[in-house]
Amino acid sequence: MDLRQFRYFVAVARERNFTRAAEVLNMAQPPLSRQIQLLEEDLGVELIIRKSRPVKLTEAGRLFYEQALQILGRVDQVRAATRRVGLNQNSVFSIGFVGSTLYGGLPSLLRRLRQHAPELDIQLLDMISVQQIPALKEGRIDIGFGRLRHNDPNIASTVVREERLVVATPKGTPLAQETGPISMKELAGQRLIVYPKEPRPSYADQVLNLLQSEDVRLSEVQEVREIQTALGLVAADAGICIIPASARQMRADVHCRLIAEERATSPVILSHRMSDRSPHIDLIKQLIADMDGEDPL
C-alpha cells in the first residue's frame, strides 16, 4: 500500500463511481481501477462491490475508508506542521499528559500558553506517566504532565500539586448514603477497580500501595485500561474506584466522597529534559504559578 492508493480509494468511496473519481483525480479510469484492484489484492479482501450502481463499499471497505480518512488527515497535519517549522512560522511544542489532568487545570493552562506564545504549534499526546520518561529522552515530547515519581537523572521533575483523592461508588449502595469524607478503613471488603491495567508501575500501584499501607483488605481487584472504563463499571455497580478529585465531574451517575486521610493524594508532576533550556518551559512554570489558587493544575 502507498498513500496514492489511499487517496484513490477515498475518491472512489466518496464519488461512488469510478468515472467521476477519475475525473476528480485528473487521471484515466483504467489506471484507477487497476490501483484499487492492487490494493484489494494486497489486503486480501474485497473493498468495493462493483456490480451495483452506484458502487457500494463492503464492510471491509467501510472500515478501510474510515481509517484512510484518518491517515490522510494526519499526513496533511504533518506536512503543514513541517512546512511551518521549515519556514520559521511556528515551533512545534509537544506535551504528553495523563488523561485525568484534563479534568483539572490543564485546559486552562493550554489556553494561557497559546495566548502568551502564539508562535507555538502545540501538539498534545495522551500518554500515561511511565511512557513519558522515555518519550522525553527520545525527544518525542518536550514536557510531560504525569503522576508517577521517578529518579532518572536526565529528567527534571517538579510536583505541581498534590491532588486529593476521592472514592467513586455506585449510587444506592451503603457507601453512597453519606456525602462527607470517608476513611480508607471503610473500604475494606469492597471490590476495587483500578486503572491503568498496563504498563506498570502506574497510578493503579499508587492506589493499591496507599490501601495496603492502611492494611485495607479488599474482596477483589479488577484492572481496566482507563479511567472512563473504571467509572463506567462503577456506575454499573461492579465495584468502587479511587480517582483524583478533579475527575469526579466526569460522570453524574456515580457518587463521590473525599477520602478523609490527608495523605491520600496523587501528585501532578511536570517533567522535562534536564538539559532543555527552552524559554517556553520557564513560561509554563510561570503560568502554573499564576494559576495557583485560581485554577490549580
Side-chain angles (χ1 to χ4, degrees), residues 77-144:
Q77 291 174 7
V78 170
R79 179 185 291 114
T82 303
R83 283 181 57 82
R84 285 196 298 270
V85 172
L87 297 172
N88 294 319
Q89 294 176 342
N90 287 85
S91 298
V92 176
F93 194 81
S94 298
I95 300 176
F97 67 95
V98 292
S100 61
T101 56
L102 286 177
Y103 303 98
L106 183 58
S108 178
L109 172 65
L110 295 175
R111 287 194 297 270
R112 295 175 188 224
L113 179 59
R114 287 190 168 97
Q115 291 170 1
H116 285 79
E119 75 280 3
L120 286 185
D121 181 3
I122 299 173
Q123 305 289 329
L124 299 173
L125 300 172
D126 187 353
M127 185 179 293
I128 66 173
S129 301
V130 73
Q131 295 171 330
Q132 292 181 19
I133 303 305
L136 283 166
K137 295 169 75 171
E138 293 164 12
R140 288 184 284 122
I141 60 175
D142 296 292
I143 64 169

Side-chain angles (χ1 to χ4, degrees), residues 36-55:
I36 300 299
Q37 183 181 0
L38 290 173
L39 178 62
E40 290 176 319
E41 291 175 358
D42 188 20
L43 292 169
V45 296
E46 186 181 48
L47 300 175
I48 295 175
I49 302 173
R50 292 167 173 78
K51 294 180 180 179
S52 64
R53 292 292 182 273
V55 298

Side-chain angles (χ1 to χ4, degrees), residues 12-74:
V12 173
R14 282 177 173 164
E15 298 297 328
R16 294 291 195 269
N17 182 284
F18 277 87
T19 300
R20 287 199 300 271
E23 292 174 353
V24 169
L25 294 166
N26 195 28
M27 65 186 297
Q29 181 179 332
L32 173 60
S33 299
R34 179 55 180 163
Q35 286 299 321
I36 300 299
Q37 183 181 0
L38 290 173
L39 178 62
E40 290 176 319
E41 291 175 358
D42 188 20
L43 292 169
V45 296
E46 186 181 48
L47 300 175
I48 295 175
I49 302 173
R50 292 167 173 78
K51 294 180 180 179
S52 64
R53 292 292 182 273
V55 298
K56 295 181 179 178
L57 301 182
T58 64
E59 286 296 323
R62 280 193 285 270
L63 173 63
F64 189 83
Y65 176 62
E66 294 172 359
Q67 297 298 317
L69 286 177
Q70 294 180 30
I71 291 170
L72 292 174
R74 181 60 182 146

Side-chain angles (χ1 to χ4, degrees), residues 167 169-170 173-178 182 186-187 190 240 255 257:
V167 177
T169 67
T173 57
L175 291 181
Q177 300 307 308
E178 301 289 339
I182 183 172
E186 297 179 65
L187 305 182
Q190 295 289 325
I240 65 171
H255 185 79
R257 296 174 63 184

